[in-house]
């Protein structure tokens, strides 16, 4: 047989390669299409936060975010754990402020699209979430009255431009809080109810300004998005949008046999819900029940959507009103994190229990019993190439 000219051989090889990279079924294309960042859409309004999209509130919130003056010793700000240059997280297995917490810092890009906040969802709005670390003894370790004094000294104009006049703070102690030290709690108990409400309004407004800033922290387009847009448009991906065969294989696994898309779906690669995936406990830490222990916390939170400091009407608080309250599936369940940027955000899981992406895939493959509750994992056997393919895909989301 006469050998084919080299040029024809090369063209045939390229054609076969192109087919292997773009040969997706219509069902696969539909799944790929819903993962594109372009499908995320604009942020929904937050009825519980009247200044959620006020640029003045966002500017005020940005100043608060980087101000260490809102901590007990002037060393900790929100940015201490949420580092802008590291996807607004800190690369630590456990967050560290004044002390060390028992959970990992979550990244902030796109977080405002979620319904529940923290790994266990114990807060139902971004502004309520922002308040938690400020009084946590392991994080900012601050207190409400001290925060109000700080605003009066450093941010009166910025605060009043957004929220109106600050209350009169004369006669109040330097420090007081219902959640602080014993001395701070005693000082709080001595404050009259009307003045407590005034302080709580200032405190909640700080959270609302911080949330307005955090709503401006968004995901950036990635190689995956450029590839997916080309696939959906029927175009051949070009430049860095072109996937190699391993990345295509990883994508097919992700939306197919590996079942990753069951929880990591939508443009943020998360269903924004809670799942028990059998993640091991952390030696030295108390057992963590995840979502199961958070339900009562969010219901009792005075800063929740239906609380007195929310700007929402009760009927606008659908997530809180109709949330799952008593289900065995919530035991040991944690929020599904976004996979955008995850390849460069190790370690993994809610307390950094798993070191690398390869280890995460091995964990999902082995499907170990959960330390509490019932794991949802059923186990998928991956070849070495399959594991490498999934890792290659996840790197396209950086």
């Amino acid at each position: 047989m006469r050998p084919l000219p080299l040029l024809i051989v090369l063209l045939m090889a390229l054609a076969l390669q192109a087919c292997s990279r773009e040969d997706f079924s219509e069902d696969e294309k539909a799944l790929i299409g819903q993962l594109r960042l372009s499908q995320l859409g604009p942020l929904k309004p937050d009825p519980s936060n009247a200044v959620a999209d006020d640029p003045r509130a966002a500017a005020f919130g940005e100043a608060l975010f980087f101000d260490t003056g809102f901590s007990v010793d002037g060393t900790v700000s929100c940015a201490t754990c949420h580092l802008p240059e590291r996807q607004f997280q800190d690369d630590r297995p456990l967050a560290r402020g004044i002390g060390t917490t028992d959970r990992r810092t979550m990244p902030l890009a796109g977080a405002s699209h979620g319904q529940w906040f923290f790994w266990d969802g114990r807060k139902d709005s971004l502004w309520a979430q922002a308040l938690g670390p400020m009084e946590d003894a392991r994080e900012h370790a601050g207190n409400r009255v001290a925060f109000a004094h700080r605003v009066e000294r450093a941010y009166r104009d910025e605060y009043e431009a957004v929220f109106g006049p600050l209350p009169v703070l004369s006669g109040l102690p330097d420090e007081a809080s219902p959640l602080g030290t014993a001395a701070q709690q005693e000082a709080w108990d001595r404050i009259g109810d009307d003045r407590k409400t005034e302080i709580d309004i200032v405190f909640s407004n700080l959270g609302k300004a911080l949330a307005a800033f955090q709503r401006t922290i968004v995901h950036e387009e990635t190689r995956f998005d450029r590839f997916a847009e080309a696939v959906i448009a029927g175009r051949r991906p070009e430049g860095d949008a072109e996937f190699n065969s391993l990345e295509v294989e990883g994508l097919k696994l992700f939306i197919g046999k590996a079942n990753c898309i069951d929880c990591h779906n939508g443009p943020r690669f998360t269903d924004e819900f809670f799942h028990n995936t059998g993640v091991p406990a952390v030696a030295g830490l108390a057992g963590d029940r995840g979502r199961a222990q958070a339900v009562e916390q969010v219901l009792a939170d005075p800063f929740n959507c239906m609380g007195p400091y929310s700007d929402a009407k009760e009927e606008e608080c659908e997530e809180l009103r109709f949330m799952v309250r008593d289900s065995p599936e919530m035991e040991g369940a944690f929020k599904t994190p976004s996979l955008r940027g995850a390849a460069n955000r190790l370690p993994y899981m809610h307390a950094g229990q798993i070191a690398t992406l390869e280890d995460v895939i091995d964990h999902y493959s082995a499907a170990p019993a959960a330390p509490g509750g019932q794991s949802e994992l059923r186990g998928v056997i991956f070849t070495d190439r399959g594991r490498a393919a999934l890792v290659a895909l996840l790197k396209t989301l950086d």
Side-chain angles (χ1 to χ4, degrees):
M1 175 183 264
R2 184 178 178 181
L4 292 171
L6 179 60
L7 178 60
I8 295 178
V9 172
L10 290 173
L11 289 173
M12 291 176 63
L14 287 172
L16 289 171
Q17 187 180 50
C19 288
S20 68
R21 294 181 186 180
E22 300 171 11
D23 185 18
F24 294 101
S25 69
E26 291 305 310
D27 287 343
E28 287 175 326
K29 288 181 180 178
L31 292 173
I32 293 168
Q34 57 104 350
L35 295 171
R36 293 171 294 166
L37 187 59
S38 63
Q39 301 305 295
L40 186 58
L43 270 176
K44 295 180 180 178
D46 179 0
S48 72
N49 183 359
V51 301
D53 298 305
D54 184 330
R56 298 171 304 168
F60 179 33
E62 183 174 10
L64 298 175
F65 190 88
F66 292 97
D67 188 350
T68 59
F70 288 90
S71 65
V72 67
D73 61 0
T75 64
V76 173
S77 71
C78 302
T80 299
C81 293
H82 296 286
L83 301 167
E85 68 273 18
R86 291 298 304 138
Q87 302 181 41
F88 288 86
Q89 56 88 50
D90 59 5
D91 296 321
R92 299 178 183 274
L94 303 175
R96 187 182 303 165
I98 297 299
T100 300
T101 73
D102 54 7
R103 301 255 180 87
R104 198 193 189 300
T105 301
M106 300 190 87
L108 296 181
S112 45
H113 287 273
Q115 298 174 347
W116 306 103
F117 301 89
F118 291 116
W119 283 99
D120 56 10
R122 64 185 182 274
K123 297 287 187 175
D124 67 342
S125 71
L126 200 59
W127 66 267
Q129 179 277 326
L131 301 176
M134 295 179 74
E135 289 191 305
D136 191 310
R138 302 163 300 177
E139 298 185 66
H140 293 233
N143 65 88
R144 293 177 200 184
V145 173
F147 296 149
H149 286 307
R150 172 69 178 165
V151 171
E152 183 181 48
R153 291 192 305 269
Y155 295 102
R156 176 184 284 275
D157 290 346
E158 292 87 344
Y159 180 95
E160 294 187 341
V162 178
F163 299 109
L166 268 171
V168 175
L169 302 180
S170 59
L172 289 173
D174 291 337
E175 298 184 350
S177 170
L179 302 179
T181 65
Q184 290 166 357
Q185 291 183 45
E186 289 175 7
W188 183 259
D189 290 340
R190 291 193 294 269
I191 298 173
D193 288 344
D194 289 345
R195 302 205 77 185
K196 285 179 183 176
T197 297
E198 289 176 340
I199 294 301
D200 282 344
I201 290 172
V202 174
F203 185 47
S204 64
N205 285 341
L206 295 180
K208 291 174 182 179
L210 283 164
F213 167 60
Q214 291 178 61
R215 283 169 69 89
T216 70
I217 303 172
V218 298
H219 293 292
E220 296 181 2
E221 185 184 74
T222 67
R223 283 189 61 223
F224 171 84
D225 299 303
R226 291 186 283 276
F227 173 83
E229 292 290 354
V231 168
I232 298 307
R235 295 183 283 102
R236 177 179 175 81
E238 298 178 348
D240 77 338
E242 187 176 8
F243 274 20
N244 61 38
S245 58
L246 192 65
E247 291 164 339
V248 170
E249 187 176 332
L251 178 54
K252 284 180 172 286
L253 279 172
F254 188 94
I255 62 177
K257 174 185 173 183
N259 301 317
C260 307
I261 200 169
D262 288 354
C263 298
H264 293 286
N265 50 48
R268 295 192 65 239
F269 284 74
T270 170
D271 60 2
E272 305 287 357
F273 200 61
F274 307 92
H275 300 277
N276 185 328
T277 56
V279 178
V282 178
L285 292 182
D288 197 332
R289 298 181 62 208
R291 181 60 172 168
Q293 69 190 27
V295 171
E296 293 305 319
Q297 290 176 293
V298 71
L299 288 172
D301 184 9
F303 301 106
N304 69 25
C305 185
M306 294 192 293
Y309 307 102
S310 168
D311 299 316
K313 300 175 183 177
E314 184 173 329
E315 60 268 24
E316 294 177 300
C317 302
E318 293 185 357
E319 287 84 3
L320 188 63
R321 291 168 59 213
F322 300 114
M323 72 176 185
V324 177
R325 299 189 181 192
D326 185 17
S327 171
E329 287 79 14
M330 297 296 98
E331 189 67 43
F334 295 89
K335 189 175 180 180
T336 306
S338 170
L339 292 183
R340 289 187 172 273
N344 194 31
R345 202 169 62 230
L346 63 165
Y348 301 100
M349 307 305 176
H350 65 272
Q353 297 99 315
I354 302 181
T356 69
L357 284 176
E358 290 82 0
D359 293 336
V360 171
I361 294 168
D362 287 345
H363 170 82
Y364 278 78
S365 179
Q374 180 66 45
S375 173
E376 298 178 25
L377 301 184
R378 295 295 176 265
V380 177
I381 304 301
F382 294 103
T383 63
D384 288 344
R385 179 174 174 82
R387 183 172 65 168
L390 280 173
V391 171
L393 170 70
L394 293 173
K395 289 181 177 179
T396 71
L397 287 166
D398 273 356

